[in-house]
Amino acid sequence: MWRNWKSSWRDTSYASYQGLAIAIGLSLLLHWLLIGKVDFNLPDWKEERYLIETRLVLAKPIPVKAKAQPIQENKVESKPEPEQPPEAIPEPETIEPVASPIQDEVVATPEPAEVQPEIIEPVVESEPEPVGLAINPNAYKYVETKFDVRTDIAAKVNSSPAGRAKIVYQLMQDGEQYHLESLMQASGFAALVIPDLLQVSEGVLTPSGLQPTKYLYKFGDKKDKTYSAALDWESKKLTLHSAKGVKELPLVEGTQDLLSFMYQFMFMPPLQDMQLSITNGKKLGTYDYSFAGEEITATKMGDLRTMHILRTASDTDEKTELWLALDYQYVPVKIRKTEKEEKVYELLATSLKTDKPATESE
């Protein structure tokens, strides 16, 4: 059996090898013939197709270039890496934080602005806000005003006056005490009959303005027309002296006398406190003021812009009107007084000086 199988395998293998050898031989012959033809025609064929091959190479490099591009891209990628530091130059976008020093400058500017209000605040704190008055650092240290006195207020400005008056305010050299004096004198034959009227107010200058300590009202040598007041601010007592005797009263905060209240407006705006306690040496009264308006007042100095205020008392018919010069720190340039039995006299300014003369003369 083994022999039969072996013999049969040899038969089959031989036949197959034989056929395979024949096929290989034919294939070699065919390739030789073809190669021979190709080699034979190759020179002429190459010359004709040489141009075609070059063109084909131009067409085919497209994918080849596409492959070369990534190679160049790799080269570019290697280059941008050193070039990236210059790209870091746009990182001066971090220079945008340079805007932060600008912000620092902006922060620095509000800081001094915040320091300034801190300087202003203590100045405000130094002012006596509870009293409601404000000292005027530019207030006059000397004011001398001369007036024409008329009893007929309907008379013209250039008519002959019945008398003359002079009011002098001055701050003493120590800068703390003041002296205020008013002298009214009749003119002509009336001077033989009508005595001089003298008023004197003395006191100190405080953050609230004038604070009188003494007041004198003297009409000639008549004792019944002479009054005085002593204002003791430490003990809060007001002592009044007259022909009838001595009287003590509680001293009200902010009390003025009949003369000082007219010049207190240099330190206190006229409309800030329209109610004042005033003493005339005989009594202490509370007076309400009302605003009558702003007017142009004709004087020998020219037309002056004035504020007209009115003082009245509820228990008497007496009335005092003041025209305060707006361009002269509210110094009175016109004064009108209505007394008992509607007796009226008016003072109208003829001159106003704010410089103290080197030598004082009448």
Side-chain angles (χ1 to χ4, degrees), residues 252-273:
V252 180
E253 187 69 27
T255 297
Q256 299 290 324
D257 58 52
L258 200 58
L259 186 59
S260 67
F261 91 93
M262 293 190 294
Y263 285 78
Q264 171 68 355
F265 296 114
M266 282 197 300
F267 309 98
M268 178 186 68
L271 303 181
Q272 182 169 331
D273 189 356

Side-chain angles (χ1 to χ4, degrees), residues 272-284:
Q272 182 169 331
D273 189 356
M274 299 301 287
Q275 188 178 74
L276 291 176
S277 296
I278 299 176
T279 179
N280 58 2
K282 293 188 298 182
K283 63 179 182 178
L284 176 67

